Amino acid sequence: MRGALVPVARRLRREQTEAERKLWAVLRRPPFAAHKFRRQVPFAPRYIVDFCSHSARLIVELDGGQHGDAAHAASDIARTRYLEARGYSVLRFWNADMANAEAVADTILAADPSPSRSCAAGPSLSRKGRG
């Protein structure tokens, strides 16, 4: 099933939103560069996450306005639980939060994205209170 997600992930990488471009620029510079964040990462069976550092076990999601409705909120909760059950912490931001990219960067740093950290034992990290 993961194989079916790869072409979709490639398309999403080519068609980034402005907010995704801004966050990608942040995640490629120090101190984040050491954590090797990747964009649009497939997680079988059906998810593609916006940004992921496997070494830090940290996922960063950017959500547009459509995530504000009840159906998307419920889906986001299920998605976050799925990812957390696999040992990842999830941070969520609204696309509009990228207007202050440094504040977003500070929040991600506060989540301690380091390879020595064990996210599986840590608390749920959800910027928007869904998680």
Side-chain angles (χ1 to χ4, degrees):
M1 186 70 162
R2 181 183 181 277
L5 296 176
V6 171
V8 176
R10 286 182 181 145
R11 181 182 54 79
L12 291 171
R13 282 184 215 117
R14 283 190 310 269
E15 299 172 6
Q16 287 186 75
T17 66
E18 182 60 29
E20 289 170 336
R21 273 191 284 282
K22 285 181 181 180
L23 184 54
W24 183 234
V26 168
L27 295 175
R28 293 182 71 198
R29 69 177 194 230
F32 300 104
H35 302 296
K36 295 183 171 61
F37 276 90
R38 295 174 48 213
R39 299 178 292 155
Q40 305 301 335
V41 180
F43 274 79
R46 64 180 175 260
Y47 298 120
I48 298 173
V49 300
D50 292 333
F51 300 94
C52 177
S53 169
H54 291 297
S55 64
R57 308 292 289 174
L58 181 64
I59 292 169
V60 181
E61 295 276 72
L62 284 174
D63 296 338
Q66 73 275 15
H67 288 264
D69 69 44
H72 272 96
S75 175
D76 287 344
I77 289 169
R79 175 187 177 103
T80 296
R81 286 184 181 146
Y82 175 87
L83 296 166
E84 287 177 339
R86 278 139 190 86
Y88 287 83
S89 291
V90 179
L91 288 174
R92 290 186 170 278
F93 299 94
W94 294 108
N95 284 345
D97 290 338
M98 288 309 298
N100 189 349
E102 291 307 314
V104 170
D106 289 345
T107 301
I108 297 169
L109 281 175
D112 187 25
S114 64
S116 63
R117 176 178 79 107
S118 172
C119 293
S124 167
L125 299 173
S126 180
R127 163 89 171 170
K128 297 188 299 188
R130 294 185 272 139

